[in-house]
Amino acid sequence: MDGNGRWAKERGLPRIEGHRQGVESVRDVVRTAGQIGVGYLTLYAFSAENWSRPRHEVAALMRLLEKYLRDETDELHENNVRLEAIGCLQDLPGRVQKQLQKTRQATAQNDGMVLVLALSYGSRREITDAAREVARLAKEGKISISDVNETLIANHLYTRDYPDPDLLIRTSGEMRISNFLLWQISYAELVVAPAMWPDFRKDQFLRAIDEYGKRERRFGGI
Ligand code: IPE
Ligand code: MG
């Protein structure tokens, strides 16, 4: 989700107003994804690198996140959505962690779409954590070197319970991955949407899905 700040700047508004409108896009896209039968939707809501933004912007984003979770819990539950999160969740403010825990618990039994929020998430960190855990298992003699394969690594990523994404959408026209699910997107189709995230609503989302539908996926075959 990219372009909140630019959306606001173009209108002479403070960046936080872009983030606020961005929450509306989240609502719209989550609802639409559920309706069309998406199994897993992962939103890159806050990266490990985003902590370097000015303190007031980080604080505002954390407040918005807490409010979104609080306000949306009932609707997510009614729509049979299960909320989960990946990233260094222990770095989030206590209030956000508590609310996250509440929303996860309230939706834990739902078996519709899984909505995964990537929070304080960085892909290199995730892969490094997996490597460390695998090294520990080897050192303790629980696995041998020849047990280290792609499945073992994948099973130590934060996403171990989810399938790899089929489609990655980036908004605001930027052609960058920005440390997002680097391992998992090996064969994902990429769609770059020109719209800033606050303008990325149902129509733009459906257009991206449409574009995905036209791609021929060969997974390295012919
Ligand atoms: C993405 O919009 C939202 C978050 C990082 C939470 P940006 O804040 O990156 O907006 P731009 O890139 O400055 O326009
Ligand atoms: Mg940005």
Side-chain angles (χ1 to χ4, degrees):
M1 303 185 286
D2 196 22
N4 293 353
R6 276 161 288 165
W7 182 94
K9 196 170 177 212
E10 280 165 11
R11 289 162 179 77
L13 297 167
R15 291 178 58 84
I16 182 66
E17 197 48 44
H19 296 315
R20 242 178 241 131
Q21 287 304 316
V23 175
E24 294 308 313
S25 295
V26 170
R27 281 191 238 276
D28 211 31
V29 167
V30 168
R31 195 176 304 130
T32 306
Q35 283 166 357
I36 65 172
V38 170
Y40 294 80
L41 177 69
T42 304
L43 298 177
Y44 199 7
F46 193 86
S47 76
E49 291 74 25
N50 285 151
W51 292 112
S52 68
R53 293 189 177 196
R55 255 177 44 179
H56 69 272
E57 182 168 344
V58 171
L61 283 167
M62 290 299 143
R63 279 196 300 274
L64 271 180
L65 173 59
E66 188 193 342
K67 181 169 160 35
Y68 169 79
L69 290 167
R70 194 166 3 101
D71 293 351
E72 292 307 293
T73 300
D74 287 348
E75 190 182 330
L76 292 173
H77 186 54
E78 277 155 28
N79 292 326
N80 198 23
V81 174
R82 186 166 93 234
L83 183 110
E84 304 201 359
I86 55 171
C88 292
L89 306 179
Q90 68 278 7
D91 295 346
L92 298 168
R95 294 171 59 103
V96 174
Q97 289 189 44
K98 277 201 201 95
Q99 182 57 53
L100 197 53
Q101 174 77 358
K102 274 191 199 161
T103 307
R104 283 170 108 161
Q105 260 165 12
T107 62
Q109 305 305 321
N110 294 340
D111 59 5
M113 185 173 81
V114 179
L115 172 61
V116 183
L117 298 185
L119 299 170
S120 189
Y121 174 85
S123 188
R124 287 181 173 183
R125 169 70 185 269
E126 176 185 34
I127 293 168
T128 306
D129 284 351
R132 190 178 297 125
E133 183 57 19
V134 167
R136 203 175 56 79
L137 293 173
K139 189 174 178 214
E140 291 173 356
K142 292 181 177 144
I143 57 167
S144 63
I145 300 294
S146 59
D147 291 329
V148 181
N149 56 27
E150 292 184 12
T151 308
L152 187 81
I153 301 285
N155 285 340
H156 286 86
L157 298 175
Y158 309 149
T159 52
R160 61 182 74 90
D161 297 326
Y162 319 132
D164 286 344
D166 293 306
L167 167 63
L168 170 72
I169 304 170
R170 175 148 189 164
T171 59
S172 86
E174 297 282 2
M175 307 270 184
R176 270 200 304 281
I177 304 297
S178 300
N179 205 14
F180 185 58
L181 300 178
L182 297 179
W183 172 287
Q184 297 89 336
I185 61 167
S186 293
Y187 285 99
E189 293 295 326
L190 308 184
V191 170
V192 172
M196 300 293 151
W197 176 253
D199 288 330
F200 191 88
R201 300 284 163 99
K202 180 177 185 171
D203 285 1
Q204 287 78 6
F205 180 64
L206 291 176
R207 216 171 292 153
I209 299 272
D210 223 46
E211 164 87 34
Y212 167 80
K214 289 184 202 137
R215 304 279 176 89
E216 188 195 347
R217 305 182 78 195
R218 295 190 297 270
F219 299 97
I222 54 170

